[in-house]
Amino acid sequence: DNKLAINNDLAAVLQACKAAVEIQRGEALYSQDNGMPNDSTIWSGTPNLPQFEFFARKQISNVPGVTDIENFIVTAIDDVLQYQATIKTIYGMGDING
C-alpha cells in the first residue's frame, strides 16, 4: 500500500533491542557468531535461565543507544519462556518483552 512505518528515537532503540533478543545464533547472514544460543540455553534439557539472561543482556547492550539494562526478568513455565526488560537509552527508559 506504499505505507512504511519507521520508528525513531526511543521506539527505534527498543525495537532494535527486541530484534537483538529474537535473533538466533547463526541466523544473521553477515554475522554468524552473533545471536542468542537458544538451542543450548533453552531447548536442551532444563532451560538455563541465568545463561539465557546473560546472553540477552549481552545482545541488548550491543544495541547502539542503550546505556543500561535496569531490570531483566526471565521465566519458564511448561514449554514457554518469557522475558521482560527495562532498558535505559540515550532517549529515556522503555520496556520490551517476549
Side-chain angles (χ1 to χ4, degrees), residues 2-21:
N2 291 324
K3 296 177 184 175
L4 178 64
I6 299 174
N7 287 329
N8 54 38
D9 300 334
L10 179 60
V13 175
L14 294 176
Q15 182 179 9
C17 290
K18 187 166 174 65
V21 176

Side-chain angles (χ1 to χ4, degrees), residues 10 13-15 17-18 21 53 56-61 63 65-74 82-98:
L10 179 60
V13 175
L14 294 176
Q15 182 179 9
C17 290
K18 187 166 174 65
V21 176
E53 180 179 346
R57 284 178 175 270
K58 183 177 176 182
Q59 291 296 109
I60 292 169
S61 295
V63 172
V66 171
T67 59
D68 195 17
I69 301 167
E70 295 284 318
N71 191 27
F72 193 96
I73 300 169
V74 61
Q82 296 178 322
Y83 71 90
Q84 179 183 357
T86 301
I87 301 166
K88 185 175 181 182
T89 76
I90 59 175
Y91 303 107
M93 300 279 285
D95 296 316
I96 63 169
N97 59 63

Side-chain angles (χ1 to χ4, degrees), residues 16-69:
C17 290
K18 187 166 174 65
V21 176
E22 292 175 354
I23 295 172
Q24 304 291 309
R25 177 149 296 161
E27 186 176 55
L29 182 61
Y30 297 110
S31 187
Q32 294 286 311
D33 294 336
N34 288 327
M36 295 289 292
N38 289 341
D39 284 340
S40 62
T41 61
I42 301 171
W43 309 122
S44 297
T46 303
N48 187 333
L49 302 184
Q51 193 175 31
F52 175 85
E53 180 179 346
F54 168 80
F55 283 107
R57 284 178 175 270
K58 183 177 176 182
Q59 291 296 109
I60 292 169
S61 295
N62 288 332
V63 172
V66 171
T67 59
D68 195 17
I69 301 167

